Amino acid sequence: MKNYKYKVLIMAFVVAISSCTTDDLEPTLAQSKSVEQSVTKVDNLYSILKGIHSLMSGSGYYGQDVIITNEVRSDNTFSTGNSGRFTTESQFLYNNNSDLIWNNAYEVIANTNIIITADLENLEGDTDYGRHIQGQALTIRALAHFDLLREYGQQHTGSGNLGVPVITEYKGEDLFPSRNTIDEVKAAVYNDLETAFSMMDSQYDNTNVIVSKYVAKALEARVAVYFGDWPRAVTASEEVINSGLFSIIPADSYVSSWAADGGPNVMFELAATQTDNAGINGLAYMYQINEDGSGYGDVVATPEVLDIYEDSDVRLNIMDTEGEFIRNVGKYPDNVNFTSNIPLFRYEEVILNYAEALFETGGDALIQLNKIPANRGASLYSEATKENILLERRRELIFEGFRFDDMLRTGMNMEAIGTNGVVVEVIDYPSYVFAWPIPLSEMNANSNMVQNDGY
């Protein structure tokens, strides 16, 4: 654990160097001072924040692994092994030699802690803006802890109550922290999000490629749905909806919206430019193969995916069904310059979270549920059932990494799928393979770390 608490001492500024010069950092990196001493301005906090967003967009986090891994372990997709990638994940054969997102997520957390613990009163600049930046960092810290919990926590293994270490200090005294319980991690996530929302001011939100105030509530709703905290999910969703800042993308703009940046439905997306992207290790290359043969195209849809859509549903148009496999070509479409942004929070997810939470609490879920198909060229539902809500989530959020968690939180069995698309094993819920192994490097470095069962 010492590794991820100290290795960002220089990285925090290196990843943000494009947004600030050495003159902006007092003292500069060349003087080998600690990060805390180098932060003298509120603008320095913003530079670190931008660097955090860049870290999140890397292939070892949202730029590929966390999304693809959770798609190929669901009934949405599998890996053909065209380039040898994601076959072990698709077949639930992974082991502790891989760290998945462990190091990357904790690197993000370490950087957020630099911002969160900064003493604003001693910094040059707008203190209110500094509080807003700290709220943004708290939101990202909550997201990273939640990501770690859903990948490594034991909530779906049937074997224990261990979550992941909650880290709230940069360079804290505890170099070898133990795993917190699932409930402790959840409480820490909720606490960060409540604090973040109270600290942020919407007047500073002028872009959707940086975390904004209402993303904190969208994330709170996501976490609450995951854990079945339904009243909380209702309240958090309503905060977003009542803000009036977002809307569902209409049917005639649905496909084209994925090739454009932003949009009225995009609450937060990670930016990709020609100079800053995951390239051939990104989402587009993993989903697609171009006419010239470029692209790995390992991850393809299962044949049953076509059966969940009506012919009139515009969401079918993001898929190429002409070849041997069904491919995602519409979401993250730029397979040449790799400039497709990665939406992490769309308003449509909030509406679906709200519909499910209303269903679970006796509210009018049908009106909310039907807002999605009404904007997709699909038939409306005659009733709101758990099955219909999960079906609409699958239709709307396919290829974005949500389905695996939806299946787990509702206790579904999983199918391990071979490279030929044939089911090789049905894995009953719960199972130890539904939690990723703690990386071997972490087990060797931290004597207090406990491995998940089965590894």
Side-chain angles (χ1 to χ4, degrees):
M1 202 65 64
K2 178 180 179 180
N3 184 36
Y4 65 67
K5 296 177 77 172
Y6 282 89
K7 74 184 206 178
V8 293
L9 183 62
I10 299 300
M11 189 62 181
F13 284 109
V14 171
V15 296
I17 199 68
S18 62
S19 61
C20 58
T21 68
T22 53
D23 291 336
D24 295 320
L25 306 177
E26 299 175 354
T28 68
L29 289 175
Q31 293 173 287
S32 300
K33 298 294 181 67
S34 74
V35 171
E36 294 93 332
Q37 291 174 316
S38 298
V39 175
T40 62
K41 303 177 182 178
V42 169
D43 286 347
N44 295 155
L45 298 182
Y46 180 69
S47 295
I48 298 172
L49 184 71
K50 289 180 67 177
I52 292 169
H53 285 72
S54 182
L55 287 171
M56 293 172 65
S57 67
S59 61
Y61 204 173
Y62 277 106
Q64 178 177 277
D65 284 359
V66 71
I67 291 176
I68 294 295
T69 296
N70 282 2
E71 282 296 307
V72 298
R73 291 187 291 173
S74 77
D75 53 5
N76 279 346
T77 70
F78 66 97
S79 175
T80 66
N82 184 57
S83 67
R85 290 166 171 79
F86 294 103
T87 57
T88 56
E89 291 85 348
S90 185
Q91 298 176 54
F92 293 86
L93 297 176
Y94 36 81
N95 57 52
N96 62 1
N97 288 319
S98 171
D99 66 12
L100 186 59
I101 65 167
W102 182 274
N103 287 330
N104 293 302
Y106 275 117
E107 188 172 350
V108 165
I109 289 169
N111 279 275
T112 62
N113 286 336
I114 298 170
I115 297 174
I116 294 165
T117 58
D119 184 356
L120 296 179
E121 297 300 324
N122 290 325
L123 299 185
E124 177 185 337
D126 185 343
T127 301
D128 290 338
Y129 180 45
R131 281 176 52 81
H132 180 79
I133 295 173
Q134 288 184 324
Q136 292 172 301
L138 280 164
T139 302
I140 296 174
R141 186 172 77 178
L143 176 60
H145 276 127
F146 177 57
D147 288 339
L148 287 160
L149 178 61
R150 62 194 181 97
E151 298 295 349
Y152 297 95
Q154 297 178 342
Q155 56 270 19
H156 301 296
T157 66
S159 63
N161 68 341
L162 292 181
V164 295
V166 174
I167 306 299
T168 58
E169 292 182 286
Y170 177 71
K171 293 175 64 176
E173 294 182 2
D174 186 1
L175 302 183
F176 307 104
S178 303
R179 296 173 68 173
N180 290 86
T181 66
I182 295 166
D183 284 343
E184 287 171 342
V185 180
K186 182 175 73 168
V189 168
Y190 281 149
N191 182 68
D192 275 357
L193 293 174
E194 290 171 355
T195 305
F197 189 73
S198 68
M199 293 179 71
M200 286 189 280
D201 188 332
S202 291
Q203 70 168 312
Y204 297 113
D205 293 331
N206 54 20
T207 177
N208 56 15
V209 296
I210 298 288
V211 164
S212 59
K213 183 178 177 72
Y214 285 95
V215 171
K217 286 300 173 182
L219 176 54
E220 185 178 341
R222 180 184 293 181
V223 176
V225 166
Y226 181 87
F227 285 107
D229 297 331
W230 301 116
R232 187 170 203 137
V234 168
T235 301
S237 298
E238 287 177 345
E239 287 275 10
V240 177
I241 294 166
N242 293 338
S243 74
L245 297 173
F246 315 99
S247 61
I248 297 170
I249 202 78
D252 59 0
S253 302
Y254 175 77
V255 175
S256 62
S257 70
W258 286 96
D261 296 340
N265 65 323
V266 177
M267 300 183 64
F268 172 45
E269 61 184 357
L270 294 172
T273 67
Q274 285 188 266
T275 58
D276 186 12
N277 60 71
I280 63 173
N281 293 313
L283 292 166
Y285 235 64
M286 202 52 52
Y287 278 125
Q288 302 169 33
I289 294 180
N290 291 337
E291 291 183 2
D292 64 0
S294 61
Y296 297 135
D298 289 71
V299 179
V300 300
T302 58
E304 70 179 77
V305 160
L306 295 183
D307 297 332
I308 69 175
Y309 296 99
E310 300 170 274
D311 291 342
S312 60
D313 196 318
V314 297
R315 291 171 292 198
L316 274 175
N317 297 329
I318 66 169
M319 300 182 217
D320 179 1
T321 61
E322 297 300 319
E324 179 183 3
F325 297 109
I326 304 164
R327 298 190 183 280
N328 164 35
V329 295
K331 294 185 178 181
Y332 330 110
D334 187 355
N335 196 24
V336 178
N337 297 312
F338 314 113
T339 59
S340 297
N341 287 357
I342 305 170
L344 299 191
F345 289 87
R346 294 196 293 126
Y347 186 61
E348 289 86 350
E349 183 211 345
V350 175
I351 294 298
L352 289 166
N353 287 340
Y354 189 39
E356 189 171 356
L358 287 174
F359 170 77
E360 294 287 354
T361 56
D364 190 351
L366 185 61
I367 290 177
Q368 301 302 321
L369 176 61
N370 277 332
K371 287 180 179 180
I372 307 299
N375 285 280
R376 298 294 180 261
S379 299
L380 303 185
Y381 294 94
S382 59
E383 61 177 329
T385 64
K386 191 75 168 184
E387 181 180 8
N388 285 343
I389 292 168
L390 290 172
L391 173 61
E392 194 58 31
R393 287 181 66 88
R394 187 180 183 188
R395 289 170 170 171
E396 180 66 22
L397 303 174
I398 190 171
F399 305 128
E400 298 176 59
F402 288 90
R403 180 64 175 169
F404 182 66
D405 288 331
D406 282 352
M407 295 178 72
L408 287 184
R409 67 183 177 81
T410 54
M412 297 186 195
N413 297 334
M414 298 290 181
E415 295 178 339
I417 303 178
T419 56
N420 58 359
V422 175
V423 176
V424 296
E425 182 184 2
V426 175
I427 303 171
D428 293 337
Y429 180 94
S431 171
Y432 80 91
V433 297
F434 297 156
W436 203 267
I438 304 299
L440 182 61
S441 59
E442 184 64 36
M443 294 300 301
N444 289 338
N446 184 354
S447 59
N448 293 324
M449 186 58 58
V450 176
Q451 181 60 276
N452 283 324
D453 289 348
Y455 301 104

